[in-house]
Amino acid sequence: MKTFYGIDLPNPLMLGTAQYPSPAILEQAVRESGAGVATVSLRREGAGGTGQAFWQIVQDLGVLILPNTAGCHTVKEAVTTAHMAREVFDTKWIKLELIGHTDSLQPDVFQLVEAARVLTEDGFQVFPYTTEDLIVAERLLMAGCEILMPWGAPIGSGRGLNNEYALRAMRAEYPDVPLVIDAGIGLPSHAAHAMELGYDAVLLNTAVARAGDPVVMARAMMGAIQAGRLAHEADPIAARDMAEASTPVIGKAFLS
């Protein structure tokens, strides 16, 4: 498994911390998932005067913290939020989100590349939420990113992997770059499929937080991701259009 800016993850699941029914359920879900990383939105979770208690819950989980710039629409907003997150969490890691389309929450890739350049020059280790576009991916790597996080589908949509062809192409184009499917995962089977494609981790939030039982879903996601990774490592058979007999013909008795 690839390292993430030199750090080995204990589990290739990254779990968001928003929208849970209660702090207690959030804590249970993260622990049951075995997630190696918890993502935190500084702006959202700090609202309403409950921020300090929330930070304490997350820090007590004992997982790596990946602050994000959720809700930012400009380079200035994202850079400012990143600096605030670095001060609060004492980490160089930042998940860079720059939203360009209100309905789909699709990244504004032009501003994303610029913000990534600014932040990496300032010492941040950037995890960019991007599309599956190979040209954008190349520009992000040139800007200093060492990890790419293409979306599977729009945030919160639960549609799984909308463009498998492009995701396969990205994996093939960048075999040595850590790749994370970020957003759109709705079912454990989606997460398993991402790992079967050779991706190094999966980041999800809504699929667990908004499930009828977030704790059970967190456990299911953990199992699916582990199964998907093992399947990829096992070098699965290729799909075929026609049947192929599993029983050998040689040695079989024939009646004449």
Side-chain angles (χ1 to χ4, degrees):
M1 183 177 175
K2 297 180 182 66
T3 62
F4 292 73
Y5 289 106
I7 294 179
D8 292 311
L9 300 187
N11 188 318
L13 172 60
M14 301 180 177
L15 193 59
T17 55
Q19 301 182 336
Y20 287 82
S22 71
I25 291 176
L26 163 62
E27 183 177 359
Q28 276 187 282
V30 174
R31 294 192 188 282
E32 285 293 323
S33 74
V37 174
T39 64
V40 178
S41 169
L42 185 68
R43 289 156 52 126
R44 181 188 299 118
E45 302 297 354
T50 60
Q52 191 58 47
F54 176 82
W55 304 146
Q56 192 60 53
I57 290 171
V58 173
Q59 290 169 334
D60 288 346
L61 291 170
V63 299
L64 295 165
I65 304 299
L66 177 60
N68 68 45
T69 62
C72 293
H73 292 80
T74 67
V75 172
K76 183 177 180 180
E77 273 188 296
V79 170
T80 299
T81 302
H83 279 88
M84 292 169 61
R86 183 164 64 180
E87 183 175 342
V88 169
F89 290 108
D90 190 27
T91 179
K92 296 179 181 179
W93 281 15
I94 191 72
K95 178 190 169 187
L96 181 59
E97 291 186 32
L98 260 166
I99 301 304
H101 190 265
T102 304
D103 292 332
S104 68
L105 300 181
Q106 181 169 330
D108 181 333
V109 296
F110 304 102
Q111 293 198 87
L112 181 68
V113 171
E114 174 61 19
R117 182 190 61 78
V118 171
L119 290 172
T120 53
E121 288 178 355
D122 196 27
F124 283 89
Q125 295 173 333
V126 179
F127 293 66
Y129 165 61
T130 183
T131 64
E132 63 278 89
D133 188 288
L134 293 180
I135 304 303
V136 176
E138 185 65 23
R139 296 295 186 272
L140 287 168
L141 295 173
M142 290 172 62
C145 297
E146 297 180 15
I147 290 169
L148 297 171
M149 302 179 73
W151 64 348
I155 294 172
S157 67
R159 295 183 59 85
L161 308 184
N162 268 357
N163 192 346
E164 182 180 330
Y165 169 80
L167 294 172
R168 284 184 182 275
M170 182 174 285
R171 177 71 285 175
E173 183 73 15
Y174 302 110
D176 299 321
V177 175
L179 299 181
V180 182
I181 292 293
D182 180 8
I185 299 297
L187 295 170
S189 56
H190 298 157
H193 190 34
M195 300 300 292
E196 289 166 358
L197 293 181
Y199 277 71
D200 300 294
V202 173
L203 194 158
L204 55 90
N205 186 167
T206 308
V208 169
R210 300 293 294 274
D213 190 329
V215 177
V216 172
M217 184 59 79
R219 194 182 308 136
M221 289 293 183
M222 175 189 67
I225 286 173
Q226 290 175 339
R229 181 168 66 176
L230 286 173
H232 176 71
E233 292 172 353
D235 190 15
I237 64 171
R240 294 171 54 91
D241 291 330
M242 301 296 291
E244 181 179 13
S246 57
T247 303
V249 175
I250 297 175
K252 287 184 65 176
F254 286 91
L255 296 177
S256 58

